[in-house]
Amino acid sequence: MILTAIGLAGLFLLLALGVPLGYAMALVGFAGFALLIGPDAAVYSAGQVNFDNVMSFDLSILPLFILMGSFIARSGLAEDLFGVAEAFLGHRRGGLAMSTVAACGGFSCVCGSSMATVATMAKVALPSMRQRGYASSLASASIVSGGTLGILIPPSTTLVIYGIITETNIGKLFMAAVLPGLIAVSLLMLAVLTTVLLHPESGPRSERQGWRKRLFYLRRTGGVIVLFVGMMGGIYLGVFTVSEAAGIGAAGSLLFVLWRRALTWRVLKDALTDAALTTATIFVILFGALIFANFIEVTGLPGELKAWVASSHLTPIALILMITAVYFVMGMVLEILSMMLLTVPLFLPMVTAIGYDPVWFGIFVILVCELGLITPPVGLNLFVFRATACDISVAAISRGLIPFIIALLAVVGIIVSMPEVVSFLPGMMG
């Protein structure tokens, strides 16, 4: 236990000194393993972790889904998703903000990244809302909170990483995220509605669009809808594996860009380069986390925490509230990947000890990490958004986020009180 505490202290010290997360976790994990088992065993363990995962077929899912998102982001889809949502919702009070949330949900279906969703939608939706006289607090909060859907709605790269480090079926994780994702979109739109009911001037109405424009945008987005439904339907029915779905998604996104006549040599080069860099970054962090997780495992800490939960007679709700509080505080100083990789190896044995399923816990972790993405002072989505809209202060964004944070807390409450919301679709898979 003492060595574990020293290891964690050393890890946070390295992070404070500016050492990248993946290298810091690998260094602490290797040193701790060497002290406990021996240097030779540490070398063998670290090498085996890297070899096993490089050779893992499941790990091919990440670069393929990242490449899919990279192609789609350059196809102009975000503008059309916002356009179709605006055509149906824009004439309502707060309609553009609700359209933003809906477009974020649609973009998340083919993106898988929260930061990419926020950065893209800030460029697409914010100018329109400013032009129509929307309050900066509502406009920014709808984009920042809507961006959190990028790590929940499949194909989420964060869910893929969770599945890899916990050896949980990624297809089941994807299906488990569908209903909570729809609920999150609905409640975030309800947060917009609540805001404009309390402050009608914050979200004025726009002109009603006719069916001609609605059908135009529906045709423009039809290809990617077919791609998403085909991928998720194939996984759900057992027609193909998640790895095969990732390949279909990458190939389909390339065809989608070709169909929209948006593919140039520059676009192809940028998409491949971005996908390669993002994949390499994630792999470094992931391999470092797995080496660190081996160290935590040999210390016996997960078993001790599991025994403590069994002996303390904590109720499931009390434990879940405690874990939620930990994530909420960590979200103020860490980004999501750091939070998840540091805590899941510790919390998962505790949660499974009281009867929760690893698939359910994966969705729970994503949801509470979403809160961290929009929680000041280091809510990552806030700073990604401010890179586009530097004239809007963090204080103004934070004020607008209050109803959206309540909405995400409500989603967490729903899946805690009704776990079948998460387990229903995975239980029906072919």
Side-chain angles (χ1 to χ4, degrees):
M1 192 73 173
I2 295 175
L3 186 57
T4 307
I6 294 173
L8 290 171
L11 175 61
F12 284 111
L13 176 61
L14 289 174
L15 293 176
L17 292 173
V19 178
L21 176 65
Y23 297 114
M25 297 181 83
L27 182 60
V28 172
F30 180 86
F33 202 99
L35 287 172
L36 284 171
I37 308 298
D40 291 341
V43 171
Y44 175 80
S45 175
Q48 195 67 37
V49 164
N50 288 297
F51 178 80
D52 288 346
N53 284 281
V54 167
M55 298 299 292
S56 171
F57 191 65
D58 286 342
L59 211 57
S60 64
I61 297 169
L62 269 176
L64 288 172
F65 276 136
I66 290 170
L67 181 60
M68 181 182 78
S70 188
F71 276 131
I72 293 294
R74 289 165 172 79
S75 68
L77 175 70
E79 291 84 349
D80 291 333
L81 286 171
F82 181 72
V84 72
E86 180 186 3
F88 282 93
L89 298 171
H91 61 282
R92 301 180 183 276
R93 190 170 295 280
L96 289 185
M98 287 189 279
S99 300
T100 300
V101 172
C104 285
F107 192 70
S108 300
C109 294
V110 288
C111 176
S113 166
S114 176
M115 291 185 290
T117 303
V118 172
T120 302
M121 295 311 301
K123 297 174 184 176
V124 171
L126 186 61
S128 294
M129 285 191 279
R130 280 178 158 172
Q131 185 180 359
R132 308 291 169 79
Y134 272 63
S136 295
S137 56
L138 176 59
S140 57
S142 62
I143 296 170
V144 170
S145 61
T148 62
L149 300 168
I151 61 169
L152 175 62
I153 296 175
S156 163
T157 54
T158 310
L159 278 177
V160 173
I161 293 171
Y162 174 88
I164 291 170
I165 64 174
T166 62
E167 299 181 352
T168 303
N169 186 292
I170 296 172
K172 289 188 176 182
L173 285 169
F174 279 2
M175 298 313 304
V178 172
L179 291 181
L182 293 173
I183 293 171
V185 171
S186 301
L187 291 183
L188 289 175
M189 292 176 72
L190 182 60
V192 174
L193 183 60
T194 302
T195 301
V196 296
L197 285 175
L198 295 174
H199 306 285
E201 72 286 354
S202 64
R205 301 175 188 269
S206 300
E207 294 181 4
R208 182 185 292 271
Q209 304 291 338
W211 277 101
R212 184 176 180 179
K213 192 168 185 179
R214 294 176 181 180
L215 291 174
F216 168 77
Y217 280 117
L218 284 174
R219 284 194 299 269
R220 292 275 296 173
T221 57
V224 80
I225 293 172
V226 171
L227 178 62
F228 174 75
V229 172
M231 285 192 306
M232 297 306 297
I235 294 171
Y236 180 75
L237 296 173
V239 177
F240 41 72
T241 66
V242 178
S243 300
E244 292 165 342
I248 292 169
S253 64
L254 177 59
L255 293 175
F256 182 74
V257 177
L258 283 169
W259 174 59
R260 294 173 69 106
R261 299 179 181 178
L263 186 66
T264 63
W265 285 113
R266 179 64 181 271
V267 167
L268 180 62
K269 177 186 174 182
D270 289 347
L272 292 173
T273 302
D274 285 355
L277 290 174
T278 304
T279 301
T281 302
I282 292 175
F283 277 11
V284 169
I285 296 173
L286 179 59
F287 293 166
L290 292 171
I291 294 172
F292 183 76
N294 277 353
F295 160 63
I296 294 295
E297 186 67 32
V298 298
T299 64
L301 181 61
E304 291 179 18
L305 291 174
K306 189 174 180 178
W308 174 76
V309 170
S311 61
S312 63
H313 304 294
L314 275 176
T315 63
I317 294 299
L319 179 62
I320 292 300
L321 288 175
M322 182 185 74
I323 292 174
T324 302
V326 170
Y327 277 114
F328 194 80
V329 173
M330 289 184 70
M332 297 181 182
V333 294
L334 291 174
E335 47 83 30
I336 179 172
L337 204 54
S338 304
M339 284 192 288
M340 192 176 73
L341 293 174
L342 285 170
T343 58
V344 166
L346 299 177
F347 288 154
L348 184 61
M350 300 167 64
V351 171
T352 54
I354 57 174
Y356 282 106
D357 182 72
V359 172
W360 178 90
F361 186 61
I363 305 305
F364 169 80
V365 167
I366 294 297
L367 284 169
V368 292
C369 284
E370 282 184 345
L371 289 166
L373 288 173
I374 60 175
T375 306
V378 191
L380 194 59
N381 279 11
L382 276 71
F383 292 96
V384 172
F385 173 80
R386 290 201 73 237
T388 301
C390 55
D391 58 314
I392 303 178
S393 67
V394 172
I397 303 171
S398 301
R399 285 194 302 271
L401 279 171
I402 293 174
F404 297 90
I405 292 174
I406 294 172
L408 290 177
L409 284 171
V411 182
V412 175
I414 288 171
I415 72 161
V416 170
S417 58
M418 294 186 292
E420 57 272 14
V421 171
V422 174
S423 61
F424 175 71
L425 287 179
M428 299 288 289
M429 284 177 66

